[in-house]
């Protein structure tokens, strides 16, 4: 059950229509998870500074069980997410940062329990 959060200083009007759904589908393909299990949040128009600059930027936070736990996995994921984000947001790669967080099944609640028991 991946959680993908895109935060950007770009105003909502500059984001492509349907970005959240496109990001959901891209994350599913990149992480090898069904789209029905991917959770996406897009936050736009945020006051942000990246690398000391307030120029338009974005950060992507990717949390998941089992697929973001190694440097090798995340190197591949990073390249594919950067390809998607630079194309969709019109930002250079230097204005985007990605943070990966591995999760354990007991850290995600669903259906009145945690994923460990589902």
């Amino acid at each position: 059950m991946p959680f993908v959060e895109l935060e950007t200083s770009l105003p909502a009007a500059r984001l492509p229509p349907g970005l959240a759904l496109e990001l959901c589908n891209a994350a599913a393909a990149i992480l090898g998870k069904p789209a029905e299990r991917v959770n996406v949040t897009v936050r736009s128009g945020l006051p942000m500074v990246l690398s000391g600059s307030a120029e338009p930027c974005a950060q992507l936070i990717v949390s998941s069980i089992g697929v973001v736990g190694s440097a090798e996995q995340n190197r591949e994921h990073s390249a594919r997410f950067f390809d998607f984000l630079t194309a969709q947001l019109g930002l250079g790669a230097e204005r985007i940062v990605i943070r990966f967080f591995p999760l354990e099944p007991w850290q995600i609640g669903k259906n009145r329990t945690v994923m460990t028991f589902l």
Side-chain angles (χ1 to χ4, degrees), residues 9-69:
S9 61
L10 293 170
R14 284 209 28 212
L15 300 180
L19 177 61
L21 184 57
E22 290 297 320
L23 180 54
C24 177
N25 292 327
I30 291 167
L31 301 174
K33 300 280 187 172
E36 297 79 26
R37 292 196 178 163
V38 178
N39 302 283
V40 172
T41 304
V42 175
R43 296 178 191 95
S44 60
L46 298 174
M48 296 175 68
V49 173
L50 178 64
S51 301
S53 170
E55 291 297 313
C57 61
Q59 71 174 345
L60 187 72
I61 303 162
V62 181
S63 307
S64 189
I65 299 169
V67 295
V68 296

